[in-house]
Amino acid sequence: MSTADTTTTRAGAQGRKAPAGERVADWADGRLGIYTLAKGGMRKIFPDHWSFMLGEVCLYSFLIIILTGVYLTLFFHPSMNEVVYHGSYVPMQGVRMSEAFKSTLDISFDVRGGLLIRQIHHWAALVFIAGMMVHMMRVFFTGAFRKPREINWLFGFLLLVLGTFTGFTGYSLPDDLLSGTGVRIADGLVMSIPLVGTYISFYLFGGEFPGTDFVSRFYSIHILLLPGIMLGLVVGHLILVFYHKHTQFAGPGRTNKNVVGMPLMPVYMAKAGGFFFLVFGIIAAISAIATINPVWELGPYRPDQVSTNAQPDWYLGMSEGLFRIMPGWEISFAGHTLVLGVFIPLLVFGAVLTIMAVYPFIESWVTGDKREHHILDRPRNAPTRTAFGVAWLTLYGVALMAGGNDLWATHFHLSVNSVTWFVRISFFVGPVLAFIATRRICMGLQRRDKDKVLHGRESGIIKRLPHGEFVEVHEPLTQEQLHTLTAHEQPRPLALEPEVDENGVVRKVKGTQKLRVRLSKSYYGEDRYVPKATAKEYQEITSGHGHH
């Protein structure tokens, strides 16, 4: 007998008919099995930590982008046909412009709530990409990308890259002077690709730049292609989060085989719902207060004009900076002119992104760690990985600074050439110094943790002993604090197998094996970790031997 039949029989036995909502739910469950799915999914346990909200910020801002984007598509005209403006914005009266720019002005000044929706859409895009970067930093520094979450790391990386391209295509749609300058730069990047660059440019713009079709093509990419792929990645990302269970920080009772936290329903969903409206409210408040992308100030795009101090949105600042750092080199090869001043930064940018994408697999290969990890690392306990992350952020910061070298020069009354040379040198020196300094800081923090475990926390209270000596009183740590400071692992580096096996046969050691062992020692060598306090050391200290 089906669930629906059982429900009807019970209702009939009691002399009443089952409510309509219950009957609909039973009908759906008999065909979709939603009760079984809901029973397991709604009781899913999620740990509670503030850093886990970063992923929620990304999700909620993405939803805001979709909602506001649907509204904007009702009024935007993705056409480059020229018209004469006769709208309500008086300074632009009689100016020739594309329909795309005119519709942007109409949305801003004639559509009720249009300007606010435009602002929310743009600010939500910035928050989304910023949240993605900070979320991935949290995942990287805590080691949450390790097995079995390498695929989810790739999903997050693709979401970041696609979000950047989606932001660029959307930023270019109004066809104003600032965005047109950015599209012109993009055309230069495409043209610098040897052999196929000109063909790609002609295909993208429908002829010589700016062509007559790029707004409509960017529009299709912006509202259909990229958001569709991103939505699929978001769904896949969430499915894998449910499947793999959530990571958690070390603590009493927390292991790789359990999750300590709150169920999805009703606690977590209630908090998540409130947090969504909080994010929406903050983005709306920022959008109402801080104007962004006022296209009416610079006017429509004209190929013979370039806006002064033109800067892209911050997430493209690194790519902009790479091109400003690079000298304007050109060479002729086989009858072709290779613009190395543009092509080399393009390769560097792609290489940085590629290393970022495959890093989980690189670390797994170097360390030889094939186990599943559900307990997060404290960044100080993985000094080499943390140093790599800070070096990457330093590289990004230097390139971002280079993207505004003209603004640095004008605002601080410096020579733009001096600023450019400073960032050129810092681009190579800065990440190395950041790597060395970060690793030493991590080692210092490990020593501090060991001292806290053995001697307790400094209380700031000075006590005088009977013989006149002054000592500081240390407060003992709780068992939970002791567990947190000592729960991390300290793996040993890989070692080469003996050159001669047990049968006296000489082994052939590959170069990749030697490289792997050398890199493993850089991760897990003796000078990379401060040995944890042992139970014996702790007992000796706490029993009063050699300690006040």
Side-chain angles (χ1 to χ4, degrees):
M1 181 180 292
S2 67
T3 306
D5 295 336
T6 303
T7 304
T8 304
T9 303
R10 289 176 181 173
Q14 297 175 3
R16 66 178 179 84
K17 190 176 182 180
E22 183 177 341
R23 283 184 281 130
V24 171
D26 288 335
W27 182 91
D29 180 58
R31 291 151 180 83
L32 302 176
I34 57 176
Y35 281 175
T36 304
L37 293 176
K39 184 178 180 180
M42 294 298 99
R43 301 305 296 174
K44 188 76 172 179
I45 301 298
F46 283 88
D48 190 16
H49 192 271
W50 68 267
S51 64
F52 299 148
M53 294 191 300
L54 297 172
E56 296 182 43
V57 171
C58 303
L59 176 62
Y60 300 153
S61 56
F62 182 67
L63 294 177
I64 295 170
I65 292 170
I66 293 177
L67 293 175
T68 54
V70 170
Y71 182 82
L72 294 175
T73 57
L74 302 177
F75 306 99
F76 182 74
H77 299 288
S79 173
M80 295 183 68
N81 294 333
E82 287 195 347
V83 295
V84 178
Y85 182 73
H86 296 291
S88 59
Y89 186 64
V90 176
M92 286 288 173
Q93 290 282 351
V95 176
R96 296 184 66 84
M97 60 185 64
S98 65
E99 287 188 10
F101 187 81
K102 178 182 179 300
S103 64
T104 305
L105 292 181
D106 291 340
I107 292 172
S108 302
F109 297 107
D110 297 316
V111 175
R112 187 178 296 274
L115 180 57
L116 179 61
I117 297 299
R118 270 196 66 225
Q119 300 281 281
I120 293 176
H121 188 72
H122 201 142
W123 275 111
L126 297 182
V127 171
F128 171 70
I129 298 177
M132 283 292 298
M133 290 196 66
V134 178
H135 177 59
M136 292 191 71
M137 286 166 54
R138 197 275 301 174
V139 171
F140 180 85
F141 285 118
T142 59
F145 56 80
R146 293 172 294 177
K147 183 183 178 181
R149 297 177 179 83
E150 301 96 333
I151 296 178
N152 234 1
W153 169 268
L154 291 177
F155 281 4
F157 170 79
L158 291 175
L159 280 169
L160 177 61
V161 174
L162 293 177
T164 301
F165 281 106
T166 306
F168 172 74
T169 54
Y171 176 81
S172 306
L173 290 180
D175 196 31
D176 62 296
L177 185 58
L178 184 59
S179 67
T181 303
V183 176
R184 185 70 183 89
I185 295 173
D187 178 59
L189 303 183
V190 172
M191 295 281 284
S192 70
I193 301 176
L195 301 178
V196 298
T198 54
Y199 297 100
I200 296 176
S201 176
F202 269 61
Y203 174 77
L204 191 62
F205 296 100
E208 290 283 353
F209 179 85
T212 58
D213 299 326
F214 90 84
V215 169
S216 59
R217 296 183 180 188
F218 277 28
Y219 182 72
S220 299
I221 294 172
H222 180 71
I223 72 168
L224 291 176
L225 179 62
L226 295 180
I229 298 174
M230 292 175 66
L231 188 60
L233 289 173
V234 168
V235 172
H237 183 80
L238 295 177
I239 289 175
L240 287 178
V241 169
F242 268 78
Y243 177 72
H244 292 144
K245 73 184 181 182
H246 208 291
T247 55
Q248 56 187 344
F249 285 96
R254 300 175 183 178
T255 68
N256 279 314
K257 298 181 179 180
N258 69 355
V259 178
V260 178
M262 301 174 298
L264 179 64
M265 284 290 290
V267 180
Y268 195 83
M269 286 297 293
K271 294 177 65 176
F275 191 51
F276 168 76
F277 289 106
L278 180 63
V279 172
F280 204 153
I282 292 176
I283 292 177
I286 295 174
S287 304
I289 295 172
T291 301
I292 190 170
N293 198 22
V295 297
W296 54 87
E297 290 188 356
L298 297 175
Y301 176 67
R302 288 181 52 181
D304 59 334
Q305 295 181 357
V306 177
S307 57
T308 57
N309 66 12
Q311 304 291 326
D313 282 337
W314 68 269
Y315 50 84
L316 288 173
M318 176 182 178
S319 57
E320 174 84 4
L322 291 176
F323 302 120
R324 297 195 183 194
I325 290 175
M326 184 69 188
W329 294 345
E330 291 184 1
I331 62 173
S332 295
F333 178 76
H336 298 275
T337 300
L338 301 182
V339 187
L340 300 181
V342 178
F343 185 58
I344 290 180
L346 193 63
L347 292 178
V348 172
F349 185 66
V352 170
L353 293 180
T354 301
I355 294 173
M356 180 179 173
V358 301
Y359 180 84
F361 305 97
I362 295 176
E363 180 172 311
S364 176
W365 178 76
V366 169
T367 60
D369 189 358
K370 305 299 181 182
R371 300 167 299 162
E372 287 194 4
H373 293 274
H374 303 287
I375 299 296
L376 299 174
D377 289 333
R378 299 176 76 202
R380 66 186 63 181
N381 294 327
T384 302
R385 180 203 301 149
T386 303
F388 274 127
V390 174
W392 186 93
L393 292 176
T394 303
L395 182 73
Y396 182 88
V398 171
L400 188 64
M401 178 181 177
N405 59 350
D406 53 340
L407 297 181
W408 287 97
T410 55
H411 282 67
F412 293 96
H413 308 290
L414 302 171
S415 167
V416 68
N417 290 328
S418 300
V419 175
T420 301
W421 273 105
F422 173 78
V423 293
R424 283 177 178 173
I425 297 172
S426 301
F427 182 80
F428 296 99
V429 176
V432 176
L433 295 179
F435 181 90
I436 296 173
T438 301
R439 197 151 64 175
R440 292 183 65 86
I441 291 172
C442 289
M443 297 290 290
L445 291 174
Q446 289 183 39
R447 294 188 183 94
R448 180 172 175 268
D449 286 347
K450 182 176 182 179
D451 184 71
K452 288 175 65 175
V453 169
L454 295 177
H455 302 286
R457 185 180 64 86
E458 296 177 357
S459 64
I461 301 174
I462 305 299
K463 182 179 180 181
R464 185 177 182 181
L465 300 180
H467 59 276
E469 180 184 1
F470 290 92
V471 296
E472 182 179 11
V473 177
H474 287 69
E475 296 179 356
L477 301 182
T478 65
Q479 289 298 316
E480 180 177 356
Q481 292 172 326
L482 289 173
H483 180 89
T484 301
L485 296 179
T486 58
H488 59 281
E489 299 178 349
Q490 292 187 322
R492 296 181 178 274
L494 300 177
L496 288 175
E497 296 179 352
E499 296 183 359
V500 181
D501 63 13
E502 62 276 7
N503 298 320
V505 179
V506 178
R507 300 178 187 270
K508 185 178 180 181
V509 181
K510 297 181 180 179
T512 54
Q513 292 177 325
K514 294 180 179 179
L515 175 63
R516 185 183 182 188
V517 170
R518 191 176 297 112
L519 292 175
S520 178
K521 290 181 179 179
S522 70
Y523 268 79
Y524 296 143
E526 295 181 358
D527 58 340
R528 301 292 179 258
Y529 287 93
V530 175
K532 293 191 299 183
T534 63
K536 182 179 180 181
E537 290 176 327
Y538 180 75
Q539 291 173 357
E540 289 180 353
I541 291 292
T542 54
S543 63
H545 299 292
H547 159 260
H548 295 293

